[in-house]
Amino acid sequence: MLLLGCIKEVSDYELTISLPNGLSGFVPVTQISDAYSKLLTKQVAQGELPEELHSLPDMYSPGALVRCIVTSNEKSADGRRSVKLSIDPKKVNKGLNSATLAAGMLLSGSVLSMEDHGYLIDIGVTGTHAFLPHQKAKNYIKAVKKGPDLKIGQNLNCLIVEVKNEGRVVCLSIDRSEVAASIATERQNWTLSNLLPGLVVKGRVQKVAPLGMKLTFLSYFTGIVDFMHMDPEKSMSYSPDQVVKACVLSVQPTSRAVRLTLLPPFLHAGGAPRQLPGQRMGAVLEEATVKAFYKQFGAIFELDDGTLAFARLKHLSKTRKSFKPGAFTEGCKHKCRIIDYSLMDEMCVVSLKHEIIEARFLQYQDIHTGDVVQGKVFSLKPIGMQVKVADGIRGLVPSLHLSDVILKQPEKKYNIGDEVKCRVLECNPEGKKLILTVKKSLVQSKLPVLSSYEDAKPGLITHGFVVCAREFGCIVKFYNDVKGLVPKNELGSEPISCPDKVFYEGQVLKVMVLKCEPQQERLLLSFRLSSKPGPEDKWKCTPKEKQEVKYQIGEIVDVKILKKKVNGLEVSILEDEDNMVAWIPKLHLSDFVATSELLWHCLQEGDVLPKVMYLSDKGEHIILSRKSAVISAVQEEQVVRSFSEIQPGMLLTGYVRNVMPFGVFVEFPFGVTGLAPKVSMSDKFVTDTKDHFVVGQTVIAKVMSIDEEKQRVLLNLKVSECSSGDSAAESFALLNQYFKELKEIRDLLRRGEPSICELVPGKRVHLVVQDVREDGSALFSGSSVTGLTVTATRYHLGDKNIAPGDKRKAVVLHVDALTSEVYVSLREELLKQRP
């Protein structure tokens, strides 16, 4: 059977292909092409990588369409069907011969070799040589961004431009515009034995039924379009004898069955289906509306964003007996979870099963390093134990991690089907690689997880495991393959002459970080946790460390600006005998992000800022803050000083530290941080997190939950959830602070730009028209607006006809002190209002 598929995932050893109707298949690395298989054989025989052999990720990208042929359909050990495919042109194009080739035909080809003027292409037709000139390939090469040349084994959608010598020589093109414009016609002599998926045809509707419709095309062919492949915007308007554009999805020559699609992205050869946004995968939707129910297949739902989704029959209820068809009439609403996305159907696949909706993990991307997971023993092998964490997610527990001590016969401790508690050592979603440990000392550890060299701060104490003990010391490994050296003199309080006699491979120990160089991935460790630096120790305190203890978090100081920098102010603390230097980040000049920019713009070196709060001592400087809401929270003791003080339901004042696609990280005074997931960020539906929050923004957050083991805090930033009760009083207090800061800015502006300070919204001014722009807006000048850009939009000119030199009276609408721009209006209804 021939199918059109879309590459879903690419690994070194196989391509995962999305097939029509929510199915998936796999193309092994040996089923790419004959030329590619020969290079693989050469690599195995010679033991080295041939120069012309490239990995699959170097040649293929997710989202590309390919023609496939089914080579096997087997049932795996866990009862699932595994569809094996091939994209080898010799198998896909086996119905073609030299005599049937014609100009305008579209077929699959694979790069055979690179020549001086182009490429030899394998189109799988015996006795035919296919040539692709450089000129016909350059636009495609530029678009796919896979290097300056095509590579041997690269699969191409080829258009026959010219046929010579009775089909023995053909000239090809892969130019995207030429391929996209191609349409299969009767003149190309297509038959049922050589018809290929991916061909775009013109068809005529023969019959319309509830589950789809029947089309005739290429004069005598008949094909079926199922309900999932009708254009959703036109599905109710199809009628018999209507001419439509369609794309061949699959061909089964033995049963003479042809399936087609009318979905728009497939109606241009070489097109690409729409992708699902990454954050939607795994999303739980409270209300999905039933659009249609098909008793033999499943149900179509409309999701919250208006897109359609399909749930197979087995995913509509826990068991067949508990299934109630009456609950799936049009308009009924159900809770569901997105479990997959079918690229070939451009439709989400959802499940209504309770255990799937509540499942912690659906895909490898849901699992993070350091997570504690529950799994079932799937198999025992010499390299370790395979554990099933969830459907489609398996991990490996290396033999070193089967126990706190080395097990010589693990089969005596573990049986297939046993429940085991594991901790994630490493997770690579792209390669579907999950490495676990069942060592109790690591699984039950309450110490921080060290998963990157950037996290390895001097003084950090955590658990690690020994991977090597030699005369120079021990190499200790942590999570994500982070490793460091414990030198011989740091192995213990007493000298150890033979480390390999004291420490063993796999031993879990507490270690302390002494020094880390993240860029070089160098990590120096110690087993001497209680050792304190002596007077001659190289880790002794610096003068800066001695100075920092003079101030406590929350202490109020006055400062003088020493230097203005792009991202903040360097200041000195007044009345400090050591003239200590500190730093005020630009975003900490105010609770209001826009006001912070204005204040930074107005302040000058030498200015004194009163009532600034000591916030932290991160990095090279002491960090100070002028955020009044944060200062008030610290002074009123509405803060937490450590993780242990946090309780669910608390309202805490903090500031946005980072905005990520999945949520917002919020930092509070005393260094505690938390995450507000996307669903808890706003009372409105959040599409893009960056549309709702910016770094440095002051926020009030409600603690939703805490995870003591992982030291994680989940927050809620919804306004409806974060009010202390008297919302009106809170709003007025914020407004009062805002206007107070604006007055402060106006006073500062009077020093350098006094004219702009006199202009306030509502003030009447006399102006002279300078210019009338093409868009209808006008520029003005006047004695009261010297040095400023004064603009009125076309709307705010009212119905007045103006010309350069006219004198007019206007009312000020807005003043932008940062850009020195003033916006005014000449409309009578605004000029008549009292100031």
Side-chain angles (χ1 to χ4, degrees):
M1 184 179 187
L2 290 165
L3 295 153
L4 184 66
C6 182
I7 298 175
K8 194 173 182 180
E9 294 173 7
V10 183
S11 71
D12 286 333
Y13 302 107
E14 66 180 13
L15 304 176
T16 304
I17 307 293
S18 172
L19 300 173
N21 301 109
L23 300 174
S24 288
F26 303 92
V27 179
V29 71
T30 54
Q31 291 295 330
I32 301 298
S33 73
D34 271 3
Y36 195 74
S37 295
K38 285 176 183 176
L39 287 177
L40 292 173
T41 306
K42 184 178 176 183
Q43 181 193 6
V44 173
Q46 296 180 351
E48 58 183 43
L49 193 69
E51 187 180 339
E52 59 269 45
L53 179 61
H54 295 268
S55 68
L56 295 184
D58 286 341
M59 299 191 292
Y60 295 92
S61 299
L65 294 176
V66 288
R67 294 181 184 86
C68 322
I69 186 167
V70 178
T71 57
S72 69
N73 183 8
E74 301 167 354
K75 224 173 187 178
S76 58
D78 57 359
R80 294 186 172 204
R81 290 217 164 262
S82 178
V83 180
K84 294 286 174 62
L85 307 165
S86 174
I87 58 171
D88 186 343
K90 280 188 169 57
K91 294 178 180 176
V92 174
N93 299 336
K94 64 181 179 180
L96 295 170
N97 58 56
S98 299
T100 59
L101 298 178
M105 272 187 166
L106 200 64
L107 42 71
S108 291
S110 179
V111 178
L112 192 62
S113 65
M114 184 176 176
E115 307 298 328
D116 290 341
H117 301 289
Y119 302 89
L120 286 179
I121 305 297
D122 176 12
I123 58 170
V125 178
T126 305
T128 297
H129 295 280
F131 183 71
L132 171 65
H134 282 304
Q135 189 66 24
K136 295 291 186 180
K138 65 179 184 180
N139 288 342
Y140 175 87
I141 292 170
K142 190 176 179 181
V144 297
K145 298 176 182 177
K146 288 289 182 183
D149 300 302
L150 298 175
K151 301 169 181 67
I152 294 175
Q154 200 163 339
N155 192 275
L156 305 170
N157 201 11
C158 304
L159 178 70
I160 298 179
V161 177
E162 189 180 3
V163 180
K164 300 177 183 177
N165 301 334
E166 298 177 340
R168 287 193 289 274
V169 177
V170 295
C171 189
L172 305 174
S173 172
I174 57 170
D175 185 277
R176 289 197 158 187
S177 57
E178 292 182 27
V179 169
S182 67
I183 291 184
T185 62
E186 288 85 348
R187 272 189 274 176
Q188 292 165 12
N189 300 320
W190 293 107
T191 65
L192 197 60
S193 61
N194 64 25
L195 189 69
L196 293 172
L199 297 178
V200 176
V201 298
K202 284 186 178 177
R204 187 179 296 276
V205 178
Q206 193 175 31
K207 182 182 178 183
V208 180
L211 293 177
M213 59 187 184
K214 186 184 283 189
L215 297 181
T216 58
F217 63 98
L218 295 177
S219 298
Y220 59 89
F221 286 100
T222 302
I224 300 295
V225 180
D226 65 43
F227 63 92
M228 292 175 77
H229 284 273
M230 294 163 74
D231 187 343
E233 295 184 7
K234 301 176 184 175
S235 58
M236 303 302 292
S237 61
Y238 293 114
S239 58
D241 286 328
Q242 182 181 346
V243 176
V244 293
K245 206 174 179 184
C247 176
V248 179
L249 269 186
S250 65
V251 182
Q252 177 57 285
T254 53
S255 65
R256 306 177 71 82
V258 179
R259 297 267 177 176
L260 303 118
T261 180
L262 304 183
L263 295 178
F266 300 97
L267 301 185
H268 298 283
R274 290 184 287 264
Q275 301 274 345
L276 178 74
Q279 66 269 23
R280 291 285 281 174
M281 186 64 74
V284 176
L285 309 171
E286 293 297 329
E287 289 189 342
T289 308
V290 177
K291 293 288 287 182
F293 173 66
Y294 306 95
K295 61 182 180 180
Q296 291 180 322
F297 304 103
I300 299 283
F301 293 86
E302 184 176 353
L303 306 184
D304 52 8
D305 59 355
T307 58
L308 297 180
F310 178 68
R312 295 186 182 88
L313 210 56
K314 67 177 183 179
H315 279 282
L316 293 178
S317 61
K318 191 173 183 179
T319 61
R320 287 198 174 189
K321 288 183 179 179
S322 62
F323 177 63
K324 297 175 182 177
F328 295 94
T329 54
E330 188 176 350
C332 290
K333 296 182 185 295
H334 293 274
K335 186 176 181 178
C336 65
R337 188 172 190 179
I338 298 174
I339 58 172
D340 199 2
Y341 181 70
S342 175
L343 288 161
M344 289 303 296
D345 306 310
E346 289 200 317
M347 198 176 283
C348 293
V349 179
V350 298
S351 176
L352 278 64
K353 286 187 173 183
H354 178 75
E355 63 268 27
I356 290 179
I357 292 173
E358 298 299 322
R360 189 179 169 197
F361 307 118
L362 273 184
Q363 51 183 350
Y364 285 90
Q365 284 85 346
D366 299 333
I367 301 176
H368 302 100
T369 303
D371 281 348
V372 175
V373 301
Q374 202 77 21
K376 278 187 178 180
V377 177
F378 184 76
S379 67
L380 284 162
K381 298 183 178 180
I383 58 167
M385 179 171 72
Q386 271 197 314
V387 174
K388 182 181 177 181
V389 176
D391 282 343
I393 301 177
R394 290 183 194 169
L396 174 70
V397 181
S399 52
L400 185 69
H401 284 273
L402 290 172
S403 174
D404 278 319
V405 294
I406 301 297
L407 296 180
K408 290 184 178 179
Q409 294 177 304
E411 63 277 3
K412 289 189 175 180
K413 181 171 182 177
Y414 299 106
N415 297 304
I416 306 299
D418 282 356
E419 290 271 352
V420 286
K421 195 175 185 181
C422 317
R423 196 160 200 173
V424 179
L425 287 174
E426 189 179 341
C427 184
N428 177 9
E430 289 76 23
K432 294 188 175 179
K433 178 184 176 184
L434 181 63
I435 307 297
L436 307 166
T437 180
V438 291
K439 287 179 179 287
K440 278 190 177 179
S441 46
L442 286 177
V443 174
Q444 297 175 358
S445 173
K446 303 292 184 187
L447 295 176
V449 169
L450 182 54
S451 58
S452 72
Y453 288 96
E454 287 74 17
D455 293 339
K457 305 299 181 189
L460 175 76
I461 295 175
T462 186
H463 276 118
F465 53 95
V466 176
V467 291
C468 174
R470 297 286 186 273
E471 65 278 356
F472 54 78
C474 290
I475 293 175
V476 177
K477 217 173 193 182
F478 304 95
Y479 298 82
N480 273 349
D481 207 32
V482 173
K483 49 184 174 282
L485 171 67
V486 182
K488 199 170 182 179
N489 62 328
E490 293 292 342
L491 291 175
S493 53
E494 298 296 325
I496 296 175
S497 57
C498 298
D500 55 320
K501 299 282 178 67
V502 179
F503 303 100
Y504 60 89
E505 192 180 2
Q507 185 177 359
V508 176
L509 294 162
K510 277 186 185 179
V511 292
M512 183 171 74
V513 176
L514 294 178
K515 185 182 180 183
C516 183
E517 297 174 10
Q519 290 181 339
Q520 286 75 36
E521 295 190 348
R522 290 179 187 166
L523 185 57
L524 194 62
L525 308 164
S526 175
F527 289 154
R528 298 192 299 165
L529 308 183
S530 58
S531 60
K532 294 181 181 177
E536 296 179 7
D537 200 308
K538 61 181 175 180
W539 311 106
K540 64 186 178 183
C541 296
T542 64
K544 174 180 169 275
E545 289 170 330
K546 291 175 186 174
Q547 289 177 342
E548 286 170 355
V549 298
K550 290 170 63 175
Y551 296 97
Q552 300 296 321
I553 293 175
E555 195 168 334
I556 303 297
V557 294
D558 295 343
V559 298
K560 182 179 180 179
I561 299 173
L562 297 177
K563 200 171 186 180
K564 276 180 75 173
K565 295 187 178 179
V566 177
N567 56 346
L569 303 172
E570 193 174 283
V571 299
S572 65
I573 298 174
L574 299 177
E575 298 180 10
D576 183 272
E577 58 187 21
D578 296 319
N579 291 320
M580 189 177 293
V581 174
W583 177 253
I584 306 179
K586 185 192 285 187
L587 294 169
H588 273 276
L589 287 170
S590 169
D591 283 317
F592 311 99
V593 176
T595 311
S596 295
E597 288 284 346
L598 270 172
L599 265 170
W600 183 90
H601 175 75
C602 299
L603 289 167
Q604 299 174 4
E605 291 176 8
D607 285 349
V608 172
L609 290 176
K611 297 180 181 177
V612 182
M613 187 184 79
Y614 181 99
L615 186 66
S616 70
D617 56 2
K618 291 180 181 176
E620 298 177 357
H621 293 295
I622 292 169
I623 308 295
L624 306 177
S625 178
R626 282 189 85 242
K627 287 181 177 286
S628 58
V630 176
I631 293 171
S632 297
V634 174
Q635 290 178 335
E636 293 168 15
E637 289 295 324
Q638 300 294 315
V639 289
V640 288
R641 296 174 183 272
S642 66
F643 184 86
S644 59
E645 293 181 17
I646 302 174
Q647 295 295 328
M650 279 184 165
L651 288 175
L652 300 171
T653 303
Y655 41 90
V656 175
R657 191 174 77 175
N658 205 356
V659 180
M660 304 297 286
F662 53 81
V664 168
F665 286 97
V666 178
E667 186 168 352
F668 304 102
F670 298 95
V672 176
T673 59
L675 170 67
K678 196 173 179 181
V679 292
S680 305
M681 281 175 52
S682 172
D683 290 303
K684 298 177 182 178
F685 178 74
V686 178
T687 303
D688 188 344
T689 52
K690 290 180 181 177
D691 292 341
H692 294 260
F693 290 94
V694 294
V695 173
Q697 183 175 343
T698 304
V699 293
I700 295 174
K702 186 176 184 179
V703 178
M704 291 167 58
S705 64
I706 55 174
D707 187 333
E708 292 183 12
E709 187 175 334
K710 296 176 186 172
Q711 298 274 296
R712 290 180 185 171
V713 184
L714 283 183
L715 305 170
N716 192 329
L717 294 178
K718 292 181 180 179
V719 175
S720 59
E721 297 282 339
C722 297
S723 173
S724 60
D726 194 349
S727 55
E730 289 174 357
S731 300
F732 280 120
L734 279 171
L735 276 172
N736 185 48
Q737 180 62 30
Y738 179 68
F739 288 125
K740 184 180 174 183
E741 291 185 8
L742 283 184
K743 183 179 181 302
E744 182 185 0
I745 290 167
R746 194 170 285 116
D747 292 340
L748 288 167
L749 280 170
R750 282 198 176 95
R751 298 183 306 188
E753 303 171 62
S755 60
I756 204 168
C757 301
E758 306 305 322
L759 294 171
V760 292
K763 183 171 181 174
R764 273 66 172 166
V765 288
H766 293 278
L767 303 171
V768 178
V769 180
Q770 286 293 309
D771 186 25
V772 179
R773 294 167 170 165
E774 288 183 7
D775 62 0
S777 64
L779 286 174
F780 298 86
S781 64
S783 57
S784 59
V785 291
T786 306
L788 304 174
T789 303
V790 183
T791 310
T793 62
R794 184 174 181 176
Y795 171 79
H796 279 289
L797 293 175
D799 54 3
K800 296 184 176 72
N801 291 318
I802 62 170
D806 289 356
K807 293 182 180 180
R808 297 287 177 178
K809 191 177 182 181
V811 60
V812 176
L813 296 175
H814 175 66
V815 180
D816 190 333
L818 270 178
T819 58
S820 297
E821 291 181 347
V822 180
Y823 298 89
V824 298
S825 176
L826 276 63
R827 294 186 72 88
E828 287 296 332
E829 62 266 32
L830 293 176
L831 286 166
K832 286 177 182 177
Q833 289 181 7
R834 291 184 179 181

